[in-house]
């Protein structure tokens, strides 16, 4: 009885497996890009402007300024690196004070945690303000490196070409004469 049940189950799974396609068919608009088609394919859709939904979440294309919702503890007039260093030192100082308060006066921990949270929010906000500049610098560095590598490859190619021409010496001139003689002999045989 057990063998028959197993074989019946196997038969059902084989029957359903044949009805399932391993890959879904392509979307119908692929026919618009057929090379045999006379009309040119349509262009891409215009980029989304405003709000759009992707993967169930609503996004916007408008640039939104990051607003600091707490007290601002830094100035943007000076060097941002120095401000980050100063905030980081202050954060470490507040953390050591928090650790000392946990031993001496545990009731004051909430105030110290709020101070640390305020410092972290300020550091985070300041770092987000630097991100576009960082992205520009990263892109500039990557493009500079790519240009440098391409120049090196071009110089290597020129060197190899020069060496190949030197190695071949007078072969191209002799080769040209041999080809012309072969062409002339072939033409004389045709006539």
């Amino acid at each position: 009885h057990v063998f028959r049940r197993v074989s019946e189950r196997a038969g059902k799974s084989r029957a359903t497996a044949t009805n399932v396609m391993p890959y879904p068919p392509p979307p119908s608009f692929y026919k618009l890009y057929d090379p045999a088609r006379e009309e040119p394919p349509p262009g891409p859709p215009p980029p989304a402007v405003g709000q759009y939904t992707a993967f169930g979440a609503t996004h916007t294309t408008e640039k939104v300024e990051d607003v600091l919702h707490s007290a601002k503890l830094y100035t943007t007039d000076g060097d941002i690196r120095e401000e980050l260093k100063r905030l980081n030192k202050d954060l470490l100082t507040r953390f050591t004070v928090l650790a000392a308060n946990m031993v001496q006066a545990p009731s004051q921990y909430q105030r110290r945690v709020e101070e640390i949270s305020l410092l972290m929010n300020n550091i985070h906000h300041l770092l987000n303000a630097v991100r576009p500049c960082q992205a520009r610098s990263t892109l500039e560095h990557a493009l500079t490196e790519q240009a440098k590598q391409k120049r090196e490859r071009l110089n290597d190619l020129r060197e190899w070409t020069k060496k190949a021409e030197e190695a071949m010496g007078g072969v191209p001139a002799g080769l040209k004469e041999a080809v012309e003689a072969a062409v002339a002999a072939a033409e004389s045989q045709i006539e």
Side-chain angles (χ1 to χ4, degrees), residues 18-181:
T18 57
N19 297 337
V20 176
M21 293 176 48
Y23 299 104
S28 61
F29 65 84
Y30 81 95
K31 296 173 186 169
L32 297 174
Y33 299 94
D34 185 14
R37 187 180 152 110
E38 278 110 36
E39 303 105 29
V49 177
Q51 288 191 343
Y52 63 95
T53 303
F55 303 110
T58 303
H59 304 279
T60 182
T61 59
E62 296 154 5
K63 184 178 179 187
V64 179
E65 289 294 324
D66 189 19
V67 179
L68 183 62
H69 297 290
S70 55
K72 186 176 175 181
L73 302 177
Y74 62 89
T75 61
T76 53
D77 300 338
D79 187 16
I80 292 178
R81 288 183 206 151
E82 293 302 320
E83 287 295 321
L84 282 170
K85 286 178 185 177
R86 186 186 60 76
L87 288 173
N88 194 21
K89 285 179 185 176
D90 199 13
L91 178 66
L92 291 173
T93 304
R94 302 284 170 102
F95 187 75
T96 55
V97 170
L98 171 67
N101 278 355
M102 291 301 290
V103 173
Q104 297 168 355
S107 62
Q108 294 181 1
Y109 85 93
Q110 185 64 32
R111 190 175 113 224
R112 300 298 179 200
V113 169
E114 287 174 3
E115 291 173 355
I116 290 173
S117 177
L118 177 64
L119 279 168
M120 290 298 291
N121 286 339
N122 275 269
I123 290 172
H124 183 73
H125 189 265
L126 193 56
L127 285 173
N128 282 340
V130 177
R131 298 247 187 254
C133 185
Q134 177 191 14
R136 245 186 324 278
S137 298
T138 304
L139 180 63
E140 181 182 344
H141 176 71
L143 292 175
T144 304
E145 286 298 313
Q146 286 178 4
K148 179 181 169 186
Q149 289 175 355
K150 288 180 181 181
R151 280 190 207 100
E152 289 173 357
R153 289 181 189 141
L154 184 61
N155 288 335
D156 290 345
L157 186 62
R158 286 180 180 149
E159 280 183 40
W160 295 334
T161 304
K162 186 177 179 181
K163 288 179 182 177
E165 287 174 354
E166 290 173 0
M168 291 181 68
V171 174
L175 185 62
K176 183 179 177 184
E177 292 171 2
V179 169
E180 288 173 356

